[in-house]
Amino acid sequence: HVEDEKGGHATGKAIYIDWPGWAGKSKKNDPSAATMLVFSVDKETYNVGETATITFPSSSGARALVTVENGNEVIKSLWVETVEGETKFQLPITKLYTPNVYINIALLQPYASKKNDLPIRLYGVVGIGVENVDTKLEPQVKMPDILIPEQNITVKINEKQGKAMTYSIAIVDEGLLDLTRFQTPNPWNTFYAKEALGVKTWDVYDDVIGAFGGRIDQVFAIGGDGEWAGAKNKKANRFEPMVIHLGPFKLEKGETKHHKIKIPKYVGSVRTMVVAGNLEKEAYGMVEKTTPVRKPLMILASLPRKITPGEKVTLPVTVFAMEKKIKNVTLKIKQDKAFTIDGEQTQKLTFAQPDEKMAYFQLNVSDFSGIGKVIVEASGGGETASFEISIDVVNPNPLTTEVTEVILEANTTQNINLKTFGITGSNIAEIELSTLPPMNFNGRMKYLIKYPHGCVEQTTSGAFPQLYLSDIFDITTNKKKRIQQNIDKAIKRLGGFQNPNGGFSYWPGQNYTDDWGTTYAGHFLLEADRKGYVLPIGFKSSWVRYQQNVAKQWRSGDNSDLAQAYRLYTLALSGNADVASMNRLRESNGVSNEAKFRLGATYALIGQTSVAQKILSTARLDIENVKYHYYTYGSSDRNRAMALETYVLLKDKAKAQDLAKTIAKRLSEKRWMSTQSTAYCLLAMAKFAEMVGGQSIKVNVSVNGKSESISTSKTLANRELGIQKGNNSIVLKNQEGNTVYVSIANSGILPVGEEKVIRRNLSAQMKFKGRNGSNINVSQIAQGTDFIAEVTLTNTTSNAIKDMALTEIFPSGWEIVNTRFTDFGDFAQNKVTYTDLRDDRANFYFDMKQNESKTFRILLNASYLGKYYLPGVQAEAMYDNDYAVRTKGQWVEVVQ
């Protein structure tokens, strides 16, 4: 509450403070009252060297304490004697006052003065800005007003006043800058921004009146500042942007520097930004210039983001003739391994005047996987132009792997004929050598890495076994780097699953916690930490706190006792063993067989091996055949692997050996395993292999006459084979006196249209509808049409299904309209647990009740002319292979 001496509301440029004790008291000559002092300065902003004149109303005989304050300290203080009516005094402005200061006046009137009815104490604060011209740099940039693509330009940089400086140059596409409303940084505005008043002022009430007794320390919180704007997130772009960054460079006093810069293949407008500084002088500045980039003859082409082998795409090329001399233009498209040209490779266009016209080339996409390039060249009127666009050829079919297993007896030789399959560029073959029983470690690991979905369990499963590959495998340096990259990527992704309470959600962004996923991901991250990987910031403390709370609240009969035992195991692994909860679980009735193994491992971790052995004495080694346990995503195979991990921890080689043989046999069989079962079997076998070691491996591998000797003391060895498309001759020679188990994983991607139709306890039907709901035929659809893909999925059994995944892959010429950011209403209301939209596909994740049907809708747009392949719908229960469906694909065409 602020009033002036007449009781009205105060106005002015000062910040005023009213002492709270004033309320309800008479202000006239009251020593306990304080009010504002209105004063003024002759300007709001001063330059260093000027003098500020401060004026305030006063009566004679009073004294004013004037302090000059900034964000940290009192810079200057002085007493001013007052005169009747109005007092003026001058304050010299020095460079210490930059960027701004606050003038604080505390006016004290004589005690018991009768000259006016104002209180004895009056306060006022006014802020002023102070600029130092020596801290401002004025860089200048001289360059052509029009830039020409693929030509060199000279950029000249100097400082207007000839000052020395250090500077950087950036030339950036104006469109990119507009996307984020980017402004050229001006460091002067940052380093000389207005500072908030940081000096605290105490009332002098105790010093001017002692008769009232007591002590009051009243702190005035004075001042304020504008909010800092947060940095905007940079957005990914699907094209090569025009971005050039050079520097820093040092410019001497009075110097002008020249920079030669080549403009890339680009048409549009760019902003040249120069940001300069001189740390010694604490001076800063910037300059910017916007220039168009064009030439008399220009071309522009466009393609879908991804293209599938066998498709026919129409490549539109826009030709811009910017000057009258451009009359006849010849267009030519270069050949590439990614496509063949259907029709003429060269076309001609005629211009009567400056204009733009279009030409179309028909491309047949080759049986190829990878990135090709479309290069279009134009010439005419003495000018040339070219445009290059990447063509990403992707086969939507999954990677298929065939495994050949061979037992290579001591000092024997075997010949193998390996025939590749799939499209060109997709063929990969790797050989795995082992002195342990064959387990198809490499083939199973490929399945995990290539798995298309990514919940918290699947993300963890794809990376967990890779932690141990370098320990047990003799692998190349390049593969070690790839493994490290895979693990780093998984750790970073898992950081996005953790909720504020410390638990992990099943999908990113969900606000509820997945119990098993929290423990499983935490287990992986703890083991990764031991291997030297950097964990997400704050992960461990909040995760441990969450696990401790849940462990204490668990009671017998709640969910899964295995989940509790596993939770306690990871707490012990983190160094935070909950012995009370461990004992409580141990003494519970009806503890399951799998929980006993995990609880035994927990006691072994904390050094109580006798207790662990006692618990395991009542556990069965013949794990019962449980096909799938929804709560833990587990199976009998996964439970065996957890039991094996326990025996490895206890260093019980005999029992571990028996379990390892069973698990290795299950891994080597041509049978489906879930990601959870696969990952845990592999990591348990890896720990077992590290414990028992193995005999040395010395095998000579010859592929099509090119030999390589693989010699290692490790249990397993892995190498990539340099195969060629078609038939390959492989010769293996065991040069040691022990048996070596050989596994060759031959991988490829099947051609488009050769996917197999599958139907296991699910049915799927796909329809296409217009915006008005009427059925449409997409075998031919007009370019620019918006339409709806509608899939109905039916559970044909009387069993509920958990963790379903539906994948719809769309043709290259169609684009998904992301309705989460539009107003298309019903199309965004698919009732699912999680939605993952990509460039060319939509993934939905959900549960299904018995005999339930669910319908999913996606809004699409027919964007690019051509003939494209529409793959069939794929759906599966991610942890139960009894539920899967895949429909046949079809060819569709986008026409004008």
Side-chain angles (χ1 to χ4, degrees), residues 491-625:
I491 291 172
K492 185 177 180 181
R493 178 170 167 77
L494 284 173
F497 286 86
Q498 192 170 27
N499 289 325
N501 66 356
F504 285 70
S505 59
Y506 188 72
W507 293 108
Q510 292 178 330
N511 58 6
Y512 53 87
T513 300
D514 183 81
D515 187 35
W516 186 267
T518 296
T519 304
Y520 187 47
H523 184 191
F524 161 67
L525 291 170
L526 291 173
E527 299 257 19
D529 184 39
R530 290 184 170 189
K531 293 286 187 180
Y533 288 90
V534 179
L535 302 187
I537 296 174
F539 146 73
K540 192 171 182 179
S541 58
S542 61
W543 176 84
V544 167
R545 187 166 55 252
Y546 175 85
Q547 294 286 80
Q548 288 173 330
N549 291 337
V550 177
K552 287 179 172 61
Q553 294 170 13
W554 187 87
R555 295 292 180 270
S556 179
D558 291 351
N559 297 321
S560 164
D561 56 0
L562 173 59
Q564 172 72 348
Y566 192 23
R567 183 182 301 110
L568 295 172
Y569 174 84
T570 56
L571 279 172
L573 190 65
S574 71
N576 298 275
D578 185 349
V579 180
S581 295
M582 290 161 58
N583 291 336
R584 182 157 48 87
L585 176 60
R586 177 190 171 196
E587 294 166 4
S588 299
N589 293 325
V591 178
S592 66
N593 194 55
E594 56 267 22
K596 289 179 182 178
F597 277 106
R598 190 58 10 183
L599 186 59
T602 308
Y603 277 100
L605 272 181
I606 63 173
Q608 297 187 22
T609 53
S610 60
V611 178
Q613 295 286 4
K614 187 175 180 180
I615 294 172
L616 294 182
S617 66
T618 63
R620 301 185 310 276
L621 263 177
D622 54 330
I623 305 293
E624 58 183 323
N625 286 320

Side-chain angles (χ1 to χ4, degrees), residues 835-851:
T835 300
D836 182 8
L837 297 182
R838 306 292 180 90
D839 286 342
D840 64 340
R841 67 194 62 199
N843 293 315
F844 298 110
Y845 304 94
F846 50 93
D847 298 334
M848 294 191 79
K849 299 176 184 177
Q850 58 184 23
N851 300 118

Side-chain angles (χ1 to χ4, degrees), residues 25 30-32 205 209-214:
K25 296 187 178 183
D30 185 349
S32 68
Y205 172 66
I209 181 65
F212 285 83

